[in-house]
Amino acid sequence: MAETVTPAVGDPPPASTRRERRGWYLYDWANSAFQTTVITVFLGPFLTTVTELAAGCELGADSCDGYVHPLGIRVAAGSYYPYLISLSVFLTVFVLPVIGAVADRSTHKKRLLAAAAFTGAGATIAMALVTGERYLLGGALFLIANISFGAAVVVYNSFLPQLGGPDERDAISSRGWAIGYLGGGVLLALNLVAVTMLSEEGNPQRTLDLARWSIVSAGVWWAAFTLVPLRWLREHPAAAVAVAAAAARAGGGNVLTDGFRQLGHTLRNIKAYPLTLFFLLAFLIYNDGIQTVITLASQYGTKELRLEQSTLIVTILLVQFLAFGGALALGALAGRIGAWKTVLLSLVLWTGVIIAAFRLPAEAPLQFMLLGGAIGLVLGGSQALSRSLFSQLIPAGKEGEYYGFYEISDKGTSWLGPLAFGLVFQLTASYRVGLVSLLIFFVVGFALLAAVPIRRAIVAAGNTPPRVL
């Protein structure tokens, strides 16, 4: 009888197929609809309006000083959605590393992806029930959807090291990010066309209903297109089997309890990879600057530059579609000069974007859209290459766990940039000065990333460096 050999954690992953990679790309196409249609455009105004109705304000009122009382807490209607975002980030910090640890120990990673994705998509579709004054239902569904979105991204990202070797991951990650921007942009464009054609002047209820169904469409899109990666992706259980076997020898229990146990072990021993932590610190800082620019661009455009809503909508779409080409272009550049140098170059370009935004004249829509185009070109590449670069710094067999920490760095600190912007605005009453304050995130992030000895960091994690860094 042949002896069963348990593969070592450090064994190279089986070669992936082109179909498998395409399936991985298409999950980015699927879930980006939630980020663009729901988070970026429709959910904030929709849920705020529902909350204002619950606070006794009239539908379509320009302002509302009413309050709601979730769990007996007095909350201004306009603050409800921002507080939900903060609560979501807080909960995400605890959930994502555990999800990642469980994913590393499961030989059925696709099932985890399916559970997280369909839970998030189902909660998004259930927004159809948020009618009248049901702001509490809307808040609960948003928390479920947003946390599930982050959990699915952790599992999704953990597939990346299994799809290609060190020299292939930059291109794979860039293609996935590019496809995601394209998918998110297509659905957003369709929804904006529908809203434009079907809305009625002086009928705020129609506007509210159109926003609700646009949100629901993102959940349907997310669920439907997730079926393709679930069919085309393959399980790569070798590392998971080895880790599970090690846990069994150590007296471990089931996958979930082993996930919690291993997470505690990793937190105690993560200092063994100080260069990986140093990269995460750099990413935390410069990515916070990127996220703040994305979050506050609309506010800057309306309040400081006095631009029409139509200009902002066109610019959002422009960013989405140009980010598709930008991700591919910077991915190609990374193949020539390396991902590390390309990300550093992108941070220089981000600095230029901030300076250009500071100098933009008011009521100049064309210049604003051109700046949006520049953001689109640099946005996708800087994020995609950061993801693939981090994949080189993860110890084998701990992809999900470390991507859980990565997502915390992506989402869990997204309050730092807005806080800096808000404090500077409060002191200066100038949106322009507030925007310039964000330069510190790109300058410090650049300095920290430049200080990472990236080849030594990859070797220290037990991985083989790509030929070009």
Side-chain angles (χ1 to χ4, degrees), residues 59 63 75 95 98 127 199 226 232 241 262 274 279 291 294 304 308 312 318 333 349 352 397 404 444:
L59 185 61
S63 61
V75 175
V95 171
V98 175
M127 283 286 183
S199 60
T226 295
W232 289 358
V241 168
Q262 180 57 32
F279 173 87
Q291 297 301 322
I294 296 170
E304 180 66 33
E308 298 291 335
L312 299 179
L318 191 65
L333 180 62
L349 297 176
V444 173

Side-chain angles (χ1 to χ4, degrees), residues 377-443:
L377 289 174
V378 71
L379 174 63
S382 56
Q383 293 177 316
L385 294 175
S386 294
R387 176 173 67 181
S388 59
L389 190 57
F390 184 65
S391 75
Q392 315 278 4
L393 306 176
I394 301 174
K398 296 186 177 182
E399 293 84 3
E401 210 170 324
Y402 274 72
Y403 269 117
F405 295 130
Y406 182 86
E407 281 300 303
I408 288 176
S409 298
D410 189 5
K411 294 179 172 59
T413 58
S414 56
W415 53 272
L416 290 173
L419 177 63
F421 184 95
L423 289 174
V424 172
F425 176 79
Q426 184 169 333
L427 293 172
T428 65
S430 171
Y431 285 102
R432 291 185 186 271
V433 178
L435 185 70
V436 169
S437 70
L438 300 180
L439 283 175
I440 189 69
F441 290 90
F442 295 104
V443 173

Side-chain angles (χ1 to χ4, degrees), residues 210-464:
L210 289 171
R212 178 187 302 108
W213 291 111
S214 294
I215 292 169
V216 170
S217 74
V220 174
W221 179 286
W222 184 2
F225 284 106
T226 295
L227 295 173
V228 179
L230 291 178
R231 183 173 179 83
W232 289 358
L233 281 171
R234 294 185 301 163
E235 300 285 5
H236 293 266
V241 168
V243 175
R249 290 193 296 270
N254 59 39
V255 170
L256 181 60
T257 56
D258 286 344
F260 276 100
R261 185 180 293 108
Q262 180 57 32
L263 176 61
H265 176 78
T266 297
L267 289 173
R268 290 191 299 271
N269 294 279
I270 199 170
K271 60 185 179 182
Y273 304 100
L275 297 179
T276 300
L277 281 176
F278 197 52
F279 173 87
L280 272 178
L281 175 62
F283 175 75
L284 180 157
I285 293 173
Y286 73 72
N287 186 65
D288 199 85
I290 293 173
Q291 297 301 322
T292 304
V293 172
I294 296 170
T295 302
L296 298 177
S298 294
Q299 184 179 7
Y300 184 73
T302 55
K303 299 297 184 181
E304 180 66 33
L305 303 181
R306 301 189 295 276
L307 298 172
E308 298 291 335
Q309 188 69 27
S310 59
T311 299
L312 299 179
I313 290 173
V314 170
T315 304
I316 289 172
L317 290 174
L318 191 65
V319 169
Q320 286 294 128
F321 290 112
L322 285 179
F324 168 78
L328 295 178
L330 288 186
L333 180 62
R336 300 178 65 87
I337 68 173
W340 180 59
K341 295 185 185 72
T342 306
V343 174
L344 288 171
L345 174 61
S346 76
L347 297 181
V348 174
L349 297 176
W350 272 110
T351 302
V353 164
I354 297 296
I355 295 173
F358 172 77
R359 298 175 62 87
L360 272 183
E363 300 178 358
L366 180 59
Q367 289 93 320
F368 184 79
M369 285 188 278
L370 289 174
L371 183 66
I375 290 175
L377 289 174
V378 71
L379 174 63
S382 56
Q383 293 177 316
L385 294 175
S386 294
R387 176 173 67 181
S388 59
L389 190 57
F390 184 65
S391 75
Q392 315 278 4
L393 306 176
I394 301 174
K398 296 186 177 182
E399 293 84 3
E401 210 170 324
Y402 274 72
Y403 269 117
F405 295 130
Y406 182 86
E407 281 300 303
I408 288 176
S409 298
D410 189 5
K411 294 179 172 59
T413 58
S414 56
W415 53 272
L416 290 173
L419 177 63
F421 184 95
L423 289 174
V424 172
F425 176 79
Q426 184 169 333
L427 293 172
T428 65
S430 171
Y431 285 102
R432 291 185 186 271
V433 178
L435 185 70
V436 169
S437 70
L438 300 180
L439 283 175
I440 189 69
F441 290 90
F442 295 104
V443 173
V444 173
F446 177 94
L448 290 176
L449 183 60
V452 177
I454 198 69
R455 188 174 296 276
R456 182 151 56 92
I458 293 172
V459 173
N463 298 321
T464 302

Side-chain angles (χ1 to χ4, degrees), residues 24 27-28 31 35 96 99 113 116-117 147-159 177 222 387 403-404 406-407 410-411:
W24 190 79
Y27 184 71
D28 232 326
N31 77 348
Q35 188 67 40
L96 298 193
I99 291 294
L113 178 62
I147 294 171
S148 299
F149 176 84
V153 167
V154 169
V155 181
Y156 165 72
N157 284 341
S158 71
F159 278 94
W177 217 286
W222 184 2
R387 176 173 67 181
Y403 269 117
Y406 182 86
E407 281 300 303
D410 189 5
K411 294 179 172 59

Side-chain angles (χ1 to χ4, degrees), residues 41-42 187-197 214 313 316-317:
V41 178
F42 288 105
L187 182 64
L188 179 58
L190 292 174
N191 278 318
L192 291 175
V193 168
V195 168
T196 301
M197 293 179 62
S214 294
I313 290 173
I316 289 172
L317 290 174

